[in-house]
Amino acid sequence: MSQSPRLPVSTLAVESYRAFKQVNDTLAESPLGSQLIDLIFLRVSQINGCAYCVDLHARDLVRQGEDMQRLNSLVTWQEVDFYSPRERAALAWAESLTHLPERGAPEALFRALKEHFSDKEIADLTVAVALMNAWNRLGVGMHLPVKRAELAKG
């Protein structure tokens, strides 16, 4: 894999890139909390195969104290009981919107969200999923590189 992107989108599409970052910043203030948002960002990035975003959000979750077994099992979240009903509803919604042509946005998933989230949180969650899908298209399309990090010993 290349260690440099195809194009430096952040410097070529400055205003658009800045707008994406502003949406990201508003989500940081969401009542959803950064851990759930990063969990959603990671799952969407796994589905889309964005190596840069998978690495980024997995490391963000580790910094926030996320359990490694939950992190490793995120791709199989439906098969394990490591995730709360609230997280499961959010993950199902995120997967549905990420696989939009195949799955749509079923009413049953929306009703499940309503059991665990306020209308504001559902709106923020939906924006987060849309944003991550957009970021993934930039990451995959431009081949954003993942740099090997020093692993913490201990």
Side-chain angles (χ1 to χ4, degrees):
M1 293 280 355
S2 170
Q3 288 301 310
S4 60
R6 286 177 167 161
L7 293 173
V9 174
S10 63
T11 58
L12 293 172
V14 175
E15 293 301 317
S16 298
Y17 192 84
R18 185 177 302 134
F20 272 41
K21 297 269 294 164
Q22 288 174 331
V23 175
N24 231 68
D25 292 346
T26 64
L27 287 171
E29 304 300 318
S30 168
L32 291 171
S34 60
Q35 196 153 359
L36 179 60
I37 290 173
D38 276 321
L39 197 67
I40 295 304
F41 281 176
L42 177 56
R43 183 64 191 122
V44 169
S45 297
Q46 289 172 335
I47 293 166
N48 288 325
C50 183
Y52 179 86
C53 295
V54 165
D55 179 67
L56 175 71
H57 296 293
R59 289 172 348 97
D60 285 349
L61 284 160
V62 167
R63 275 193 292 279
Q64 294 174 63
E66 182 58 79
D67 175 90
M68 284 305 295
Q69 192 173 20
R70 278 174 38 100
L71 204 60
N72 291 335
S73 297
L74 186 58
V75 297
T76 59
W77 67 269
Q78 293 175 337
E79 299 175 34
V80 297
D81 63 359
F82 305 157
Y83 304 94
S84 71
R86 185 174 195 262
E87 291 169 327
R88 296 173 81 72
L91 288 164
W93 185 246
E95 286 190 4
S96 176
L97 295 181
T98 301
H99 292 291
L100 198 54
E102 300 88 10
R103 299 185 188 176
E107 191 61 32
L109 294 182
F110 186 75
R111 281 194 307 273
L113 286 177
K114 296 286 277 181
E115 293 177 26
H116 302 283
F117 296 95
S118 70
D119 288 351
K120 162 77 168 127
E121 290 171 323
I122 293 171
D124 284 348
L125 177 62
T126 303
V127 168
V129 173
L131 178 65
M132 196 68 251
N133 274 287
W135 279 122
N136 289 162
R137 274 125 184 97
L138 291 175
V140 172
M142 293 300 115
H143 287 180
L144 294 183
V146 177
K147 295 180 182 161
R148 184 77 171 132
E150 283 293 315
L151 298 176
K153 308 225 189 237

